[in-house]
Amino acid sequence: MTKRSDSPKMNSTWVDEDTANYLRLRVKTFYNADYFERVVLPLLNIPQHGQVLDVGCGYGGLSTILAELRPDLQITGLDIEAAALESAANGARQNGLTNLTFEQGDAHRLKYEDCRFAAVLCQTVLTHVQDAGSVVREMARVLKSNGVFMAAEYTSIGPVSTYNSVEDEKRDDAWYEKIFRLSRLLIKGKRALGRGDDRLGVRVPLLAAAAGLDVFDVRLNDRVLHVIPPYVHPKQADYLELLRAYYAPDPDCKGLTQNIELMRAAGGTEEDAEWFYNSGDTAAVRQAITDGNLTEISAYMLYLTFAREPDQDIR
Ligand SMILES: C[S@@+](CC[C@H](N)C(=O)[O-])C[C@H]1O[C@@H](n2cnc3c(N)ncnc32)[C@H](O)[C@@H]1O
């Protein structure tokens, strides 16, 4: 998938309606329904009635999964964007979740006292902040002794993680060489503008260790997204909805404007940005979705880093 970059043009990008809708749909496709219950919750092992902080909670995707599975926990979602928090709070109300509260704040300077939370989590946030190391240190600071840290963050690997029946056959070696070169420029541009690092996921265990945490496991999320005609299986429905949003027409060319800015910041050209933006055959893919004959299989891999705040006595 190459049409849109995942990176924010500026903070207000997160409250743009299309982006908000796309993020809400995408969060629903990170995990299979049983993965959190069977794998993540036992690893977190949060004590009964523990206080949990979800840093960069956005529209409340991660907080909501946890709040539904563990109604005993007191979960605080923190985000820099007031509009996202309002939407998250509305969602919680609609779902009847009373163990969730949302607060505004900057992850680089958490407004909580030391050693407050039994668990501190984040999901697709460290790739978007200016200084991921300082955010991880802040997350460690507000963790109790033996408290648990989890970060679910991606490392961008671009089109190698996707098979698309309309586009794959048209792509030759030259296309792949160009897409990798330009993807790299976009990542460099995002870093140069202080908007985060799309290759950060794989380095989060190192940041956690550097913050004094004891990294006890690193996993991947488990969902392989797939739509295979005739789309009769219920699991394919949410991916199809996500694809419709992803391949929707972009009349204002918001994605292109963003790509031009990032590309220029990394020394690339406007032509590079345009080529990248037009590198997917979006009209043909849209038609295949409408005709019901698109096959797409894709992994949006998140590295899940699990770490613990060491017991103060043995530190
Ligand atoms: C890709 S979204 C992820 C949202 C949510 N964690 C999820 O998985 O659905 C990234 C979020 O990080 C938030 N964010 C970015 N920089 C931040 C900062 N410095 N402090 C707090 N939140 C921040 C954005 O406002 C946005 O809601």
Side-chain angles (χ1 to χ4, degrees), residues 115-185:
C115 309
R116 164 149 170 199
F117 293 96
V120 180
L121 322 171
C122 68
Q123 178 172 272
T124 61
V125 174
L126 298 175
T127 40
H128 301 306
V129 296
Q130 189 167 16
D131 182 354
S134 86
V135 172
V136 171
R137 280 194 297 281
E138 277 293 90
M139 292 170 75
R141 179 183 65 76
V142 300
L143 259 185
K144 287 183 183 210
S145 291
N146 278 319
V148 70
F149 164 101
M150 184 193 84
E153 300 287 339
Y154 63 82
T155 282
S156 179
I157 51 172
V160 289
S161 61
T162 299
Y163 168 80
N164 178 298
S165 57
V166 173
E167 295 177 329
D168 265 48
E169 307 315 320
K170 299 178 191 165
R171 294 172 172 173
D172 55 13
D173 291 351
W175 185 91
Y176 275 100
E177 277 165 25
K178 192 157 182 177
I179 204 86
F180 278 116
R181 187 172 63 78
L182 297 185
S183 304
R184 216 171 142 65
L185 282 184

Side-chain angles (χ1 to χ4, degrees), residues 275-305:
W275 185 91
F276 188 90
Y277 182 75
N278 294 315
S279 59
D281 198 346
T282 49
V285 176
R286 265 202 304 277
Q287 191 59 49
I289 294 174
T290 306
D291 297 343
N293 57 24
L294 177 77
T295 295
E296 183 161 310
I297 302 168
S298 167
Y300 189 87
M301 285 197 295
L302 298 177
Y303 290 80
L304 272 63
T305 301

Side-chain angles (χ1 to χ4, degrees), residues 1-313:
M1 291 192 172
T2 49
K3 194 181 71 165
R4 283 170 212 238
S5 161
D6 192 48
S7 43
K9 187 172 68 176
M10 50 192 155
N11 275 341
S12 62
T13 305
W14 298 116
V15 294
D16 162 280
E17 251 323 296
D18 291 342
T19 308
N21 183 42
Y22 178 69
L23 285 178
R24 276 197 209 94
L25 291 170
R26 205 186 54 187
V27 161
K28 280 171 43 185
T29 64
F30 285 164
Y31 311 99
N32 286 305
D34 58 353
Y35 181 77
F36 233 79
E37 198 167 356
R38 290 194 196 182
V39 177
V40 176
L41 276 189
L43 283 168
L44 292 176
N45 195 20
I46 307 170
Q48 278 283 312
H49 308 295
Q51 287 196 59
V52 178
L53 180 65
D54 176 13
V55 175
C57 64
Y59 303 92
L62 181 63
S63 302
T64 304
I65 299 176
L66 196 60
E68 284 173 345
L69 289 169
R70 288 284 307 269
D72 63 292
L73 300 176
Q74 286 304 317
I75 302 164
T76 303
L78 175 115
D79 203 280
I80 205 157
E81 289 292 347
L85 293 166
E86 201 182 315
S87 161
N90 286 338
R93 260 192 302 280
Q94 278 161 19
N95 289 325
L97 296 169
T98 54
N99 58 337
L100 260 174
T101 50
F102 295 98
E103 296 179 354
Q104 195 171 12
D106 185 351
H108 295 92
R109 285 168 290 277
L110 291 176
K111 55 188 182 180
Y112 308 104
E113 70 274 19
D114 295 359
C115 309
R116 164 149 170 199
F117 293 96
V120 180
L121 322 171
C122 68
Q123 178 172 272
T124 61
V125 174
L126 298 175
T127 40
H128 301 306
V129 296
Q130 189 167 16
D131 182 354
S134 86
V135 172
V136 171
R137 280 194 297 281
E138 277 293 90
M139 292 170 75
R141 179 183 65 76
V142 300
L143 259 185
K144 287 183 183 210
S145 291
N146 278 319
V148 70
F149 164 101
M150 184 193 84
E153 300 287 339
Y154 63 82
T155 282
S156 179
I157 51 172
V160 289
S161 61
T162 299
Y163 168 80
N164 178 298
S165 57
V166 173
E167 295 177 329
D168 265 48
E169 307 315 320
K170 299 178 191 165
R171 294 172 172 173
D172 55 13
D173 291 351
W175 185 91
Y176 275 100
E177 277 165 25
K178 192 157 182 177
I179 204 86
F180 278 116
R181 187 172 63 78
L182 297 185
S183 304
R184 216 171 142 65
L185 282 184
L186 288 178
I187 291 169
K188 274 189 185 167
K190 183 173 160 175
R191 274 207 310 261
L193 293 171
R195 293 177 190 162
D197 182 352
D198 283 339
R199 296 201 60 246
L200 192 87
V202 76
R203 284 190 288 113
V204 176
L206 302 179
L207 296 183
L213 297 170
D214 174 25
V215 178
F216 64 87
D217 207 351
V218 183
R219 301 253 177 162
L220 290 173
N221 61 330
D222 72 324
R223 182 97 181 254
V224 177
L225 303 161
H226 56 283
V227 285
I228 301 173
Y231 315 143
V232 287
H233 298 287
K235 243 193 197 170
Q236 301 191 6
D238 46 9
Y239 189 38
L240 206 52
E241 202 184 348
L242 182 72
L243 289 178
R244 283 202 183 96
Y246 184 81
Y247 288 106
D250 181 16
D252 306 329
C253 294
K254 281 181 281 190
L256 177 59
T257 310
Q258 179 176 317
N259 284 355
I260 290 172
E261 204 186 0
L262 298 178
M263 204 63 92
R264 281 194 175 138
T269 64
E270 193 163 327
E271 289 71 45
D272 289 335
E274 274 169 17
W275 185 91
F276 188 90
Y277 182 75
N278 294 315
S279 59
D281 198 346
T282 49
V285 176
R286 265 202 304 277
Q287 191 59 49
I289 294 174
T290 306
D291 297 343
N293 57 24
L294 177 77
T295 295
E296 183 161 310
I297 302 168
S298 167
Y300 189 87
M301 285 197 295
L302 298 177
Y303 290 80
L304 272 63
T305 301
F306 294 88
R308 214 166 262 295
E309 178 70 34
D311 197 314
Q312 302 296 333
D313 296 337

